[in-house]
Amino acid sequence: MSFLAIQHLHKSFGGLHAVNDVSFALAAGEIKALIGPNGAGKTTLLNLLSGNILPDAGEVIFLGKPIQGLKPFQIARRGMARTFQNIKLFPEMTALENVMVGRHMRSRSGVWSGAGNLPWTWKEEAGIRRKSLELMEFMGIAEHAGTEAASLAFGQQRAVEFARALALEPDLLLLDEPAAGLNIYETAELAKLIRKVRDRGITILLVEHDMSLVMDISDSIVVLSFGRRIAEGNPLEIQNNPEVIQIYLGEDDA
Amino acid sequence: MQFCLCHGGLVFFMTPELFLQYLFAGVTYGLIYAIVAIGFNIIYNTTGIINFAQGEFVMLGGMTAISLHHYLPLPLAIAAAVAITMVIGALIEMVFIRWLHNPSILRMIIITIGLSILIREGALHIWGEGVRALPYFNGNEITSIVVLGVGVSPQVFWVLGVCGLMVAALYLFFKFVPLGLVMRACAANRVAATLCGVSTKNMVTFSFVLSAGIGAMAGCVVSPITYSQYDGGTNLAIKGFTVAILGGLGNSMAAVAAGLLLGIIEAFSISVVPLAFQDAIAIGILLIILFIRPHGLFGNRSAAMLKEF
């Protein structure tokens, strides 16, 4: 049984086959990258996995159970967290509060008993706060805990979103272009961070345009083009795959 | 709407005692308006809709408590009335709102207007047109506590205390309690909240329950002063809506300031214009605000432009 199996997944928008009969699998503990030219269907595929859009056909088996058709919050509760290409934080809340929202569903007493100000929920709240701060320390942004998310720098916002996703204690983390907008130095830091997250036992599926990052950290790579899976393999195989070279560099020598 | 402290007619000069009388009256009403406005805001924040049945929650709380008080002691009757109104709030959301798939904001608002009429007519059938009231929590109509030389009904302090406590509790709830944080998260970015494992539909139900609860509580505590009647909610909804707009939609703490402002303006207005014009003042303020500062006194113009409604 594989950790995550995507089988014959299909999604079209009008006449456009955004994701066309795509199948691949993830093994537990690996870092897998999803690459392809713009419009290849990478983000659509992530949205299908996290339940933000529903597939027309195909199956997604996560930890042995089909998850296609479930609501995003149900999929999140089964252990799949994600970040976004365009960061989606809760702008008017502090960085710490953002992370705490990710943490709430791991709390023992659950959301509903948290409605009353009962002594054990106060203790629980303190636990959520402590754990969230730990994660922010792990991400290196603890000193910004009390800052409103909207007023943080771009890279820091990305780190908050990352921490919030980790707060769910996911088994699988989907990262949508985490290096977008980062400079070379920040990207190198990100690579270290992604490895550190994997070392915590979290499997990672990464959509990324930065090829140096992808080749550096990925255990295996899936290449999409016009919604179809055209290649899969380790970084070396992908770099030497004639079809991949062709879609990235064009027919003739560039 | 009659207030026991007001003298009616025109008053051309004001003694310090009279000033304080008006001030107490204004603050009392102001806090009730603020509670209704916070009810609007809680639901607005999680759904983007204005629940025009908000005033009916206040009416239902008062009327239910009055009926239950025939069988139960006052505190129990109030607690039960609040609980029943919360259940009604949950049912309204689950029956009329929850199952709609991507409804337009306008459609949901019209549903709430329909609901407010439905609840009002239902109340008319159950309770009739009669004006009722809960007994004063302490003493009776003529009991008064002297504050700075003026007699104030103890019920006024009940209203101040209970509404003040509710505002403080809500502030702490949204700031520190995990469920409060999750509700704010839903308001800020629904897509991100759902990916954090939050069921936004449950949060919407809960926002109706919370709004119904605070509305009903306000309806009980104010009933001895303002009396309860089947159609009492309409007027409160208009005032509460004015206050919510005045403070800036969605901003509950600003609603408290705006509520006190409207309450005090109304109370003092009767010294210059006849009592009958009191409601016209609220509507007048609403119109002026909508024309010149639609994002509210404390709101942010650019943030307001991003909102759907």
Side-chain angles (χ1 to χ4, degrees), chain B residues 57-78:
Chain B
F57 290 148
V58 180
M59 180 273 292
L60 277 177
M63 295 301 260
T64 313
I66 292 162
S67 292
L68 290 174
H69 187 41
H70 294 302
Y71 315 102
L72 296 170
L74 189 60
L76 275 181
I78 292 174

Side-chain angles (χ1 to χ4, degrees), chain A residues 44-109:
Chain A
T44 304
L45 187 59
L46 281 201
N47 284 335
L48 289 171
L49 294 183
S50 62
N52 290 58
I53 55 178
L54 294 174
D56 298 329
E59 276 199 312
V60 181
I61 316 282
F62 181 47
L63 296 170
K65 291 199 184 95
I67 57 163
Q68 78 279 5
L70 291 183
K71 302 260 162 52
F73 75 89
Q74 292 167 325
I75 293 175
R77 287 177 188 189
R78 291 192 181 199
M80 192 189 296
R82 72 171 291 184
T83 65
F84 289 87
Q85 188 175 344
N86 45 344
I87 300 171
K88 288 190 199 299
L89 288 175
F90 310 123
E92 286 145 30
M93 296 165 66
T94 67
L96 177 62
E97 285 173 342
N98 267 276
V99 181
M100 287 171 69
V101 170
R103 188 73 206 159
H104 85 280
M105 58 166 258
R106 288 285 156 204
S107 64
R108 187 166 27 85
S109 60

Side-chain angles (χ1 to χ4, degrees), chain B residues 261-290:
Chain B
L261 187 66
L262 180 66
I264 290 169
I265 290 174
E266 273 192 359
F268 281 95
S269 72
I270 57 170
S271 65
V272 256
V273 294
L275 181 65
F277 283 87
Q278 212 180 24
D279 292 344
I281 287 170
I283 306 282
I285 290 174
L286 178 59
L287 285 176
I288 293 167
I289 286 291
L290 285 175

Side-chain angles (χ1 to χ4, degrees), chain B residues 99-142:
Chain B
W99 55 272
L100 299 175
H101 290 289
N102 298 322
S104 72
I105 300 282
L106 188 62
R107 184 168 154 209
M108 289 199 283
I109 288 174
I110 290 170
I111 288 174
T112 70
I113 293 173
L115 282 171
S116 85
I117 297 170
L118 197 69
I119 296 171
R120 213 177 309 143
E121 294 303 311
L124 179 61
H125 268 279
I126 297 170
W127 289 296
E129 286 182 2
V131 178
R132 298 147 186 248
L134 277 177
Y136 279 72
F137 293 7
N138 295 105
N140 54 40
E141 293 96 285
I142 51 167

Side-chain angles (χ1 to χ4, degrees), chain A residues 50 52 72-73 76-77 80-82 84 88-94 97 100-102 104-105 111-112 114-117 122 125 128-129 164 168, chain B residues 169 172-182 184-186 188-203 205-206 303 307:
Chain A
S50 62
N52 290 58
F73 75 89
R77 287 177 188 189
M80 192 189 296
R82 72 171 291 184
F84 289 87
K88 288 190 199 299
L89 288 175
F90 310 123
E92 286 145 30
M93 296 165 66
T94 67
E97 285 173 342
M100 287 171 69
V101 170
H104 85 280
M105 58 166 258
V111 173
W112 293 103
N117 285 340
W122 281 110
E125 199 265 349
I128 292 175
R129 193 170 283 267
R164 187 180 67 190
L168 273 88
Chain B
L172 293 174
F173 172 73
F174 284 113
K175 191 81 191 154
F176 294 110
V177 178
L179 178 58
L181 280 184
V182 169
R184 276 167 65 208
C186 264
N189 191 330
R190 211 184 292 203
V191 175
T194 184
L195 287 159
C196 289
V198 177
S199 161
T200 48
K201 292 203 164 175
N202 285 348
M203 290 304 115
T205 310
F206 186 70
K307 290 189 175 166

